[in-house]
Amino acid sequence: SQQGEEDPQALSIQEGENATMNCSYKTSINNLQWYRQNSGRGLVHLILIRSNEREKHSGRLRVTLDTSKKSSSLLITASRAADTASYFCAYSGGGADGLTFGKGTHLIIQP
Amino acid sequence: DVKVTQSSRYLVKRTGEKVFLECVQDMDHENMFWYRQDPGLGLRLIYFSYDVKMKEKGDIPEGYSVSREKKERFSLILESASTNQTSMYLCASSYIGVNYGYTFGSGTRLTVV
């Protein structure tokens, strides 16, 4: 499988600011998902956007998907210290295999 | 609260040992997965299973095997542990079908010395 790529690899912002992370992938997909991982722990599913959707919201999260550019973005609004974590995009390519994950963006929220 | 439970949080094993990593889910999920996570490489799929007694190779199956005798349990086996298998191992489960998210366990940090 071909891993996706997140951009930037690391991001540091002030509390209250918005954080934007991008993900690019290389294959056709059924959906794209975003996960959060706190230091040394398992991943937590945040949001799933299907290939026929362009935008989706969940609380302070906004995800966009552009299948023509094979890219997605995750926006976290009004960031909090508790949002400090690594964020991964993952996608399902439609085959029988599991999700392919990107390498992650490490987000630090400065208080 | 639904859960994926991995039997050990930290594990230290010697080179050549046979190592068992256990994963149990209580959500009646059909799919179960084993990933390893390494700095700079992200998550890579080792093996997955869609049903009891079924298994499929992921991207990096070499040196590993799996067992799924019951729906709720998926075991990862390192036949003869090597130092390059030092890693964070993550188990996940999901419902069958492509539009479901995964539920992950907390991970097992394995060190092979």
Side-chain angles (χ1 to χ4, degrees), chain A residues 17-80:
Chain A
E17 293 181 340
N18 295 342
T20 300
M21 289 157 271
N22 303 297
C23 170
S24 61
Y25 57 92
K26 298 176 183 176
T27 66
S28 60
I29 62 172
N30 283 319
N31 64 65
L32 190 135
Q33 305 178 30
W34 286 89
Y35 289 78
R36 184 188 73 233
Q37 183 180 36
N38 291 94
S39 180
R41 308 298 294 183
L43 280 72
V44 174
H45 181 256
L46 296 176
I47 194 167
L48 180 152
I49 185 166
R50 300 185 185 207
S51 59
N52 60 353
E53 298 175 312
R54 292 296 167 258
E55 187 171 314
K56 199 163 184 179
H57 297 253
S58 176
R60 294 184 296 114
L61 305 180
R62 172 177 170 257
V63 170
T64 62
L65 179 64
D66 186 335
T67 53
S68 66
K69 295 181 179 178
K70 290 187 167 55
S71 67
S72 174
S73 67
L74 171 67
L75 168 68
I76 303 174
T77 61
S79 63
R80 305 167 182 169

Side-chain angles (χ1 to χ4, degrees), chain B residues 15-34:
Chain B
T15 300
E17 276 193 81
K18 190 169 186 176
V19 181
F20 294 85
L21 302 183
E22 305 288 346
C23 176
V24 178
Q25 51 97 2
D26 64 0
M27 295 162 285
D28 203 34
H29 283 168
E30 294 86 2
N31 298 339
M32 296 190 76
F33 307 87
W34 276 106

Side-chain angles (χ1 to χ4, degrees), chain B residues 23-90:
Chain B
C23 176
V24 178
Q25 51 97 2
D26 64 0
M27 295 162 285
D28 203 34
H29 283 168
E30 294 86 2
N31 298 339
M32 296 190 76
F33 307 87
W34 276 106
Y35 286 86
R36 64 176 283 178
Q37 183 178 23
D38 301 287
L41 297 177
L43 278 79
R44 293 177 292 167
L45 181 62
I46 305 171
Y47 266 99
F48 57 102
S49 169
Y50 289 115
D51 201 353
V52 175
K53 296 192 185 295
M54 292 186 68
K55 59 184 179 184
E56 298 287 342
K57 292 180 180 179
D59 298 318
I60 52 164
E62 296 79 18
Y64 303 95
S65 63
V66 290
S67 172
R68 194 165 180 201
E69 296 296 318
K70 293 185 179 182
K71 188 176 185 180
E72 66 270 20
R73 186 180 297 271
F74 192 36
S75 303
L76 180 69
I77 304 155
L78 285 66
E79 298 292 342
S80 177
S82 63
T83 55
N84 63 12
Q85 292 178 310
T86 292
S87 185
M88 170 72 101
Y89 289 88
L90 293 164

Side-chain angles (χ1 to χ4, degrees), chain A residues 1 3 31 35 37 40 96 99, chain B residues 9 35 50 59 98-99 102:
Chain A
S1 60
Q3 280 187 299
N31 64 65
Y35 289 78
Q37 183 180 36
L99 288 177
Chain B
R9 188 84 181 89
Y35 286 86
Y50 289 115
D59 298 318
V98 296
N99 286 315
Y102 288 7

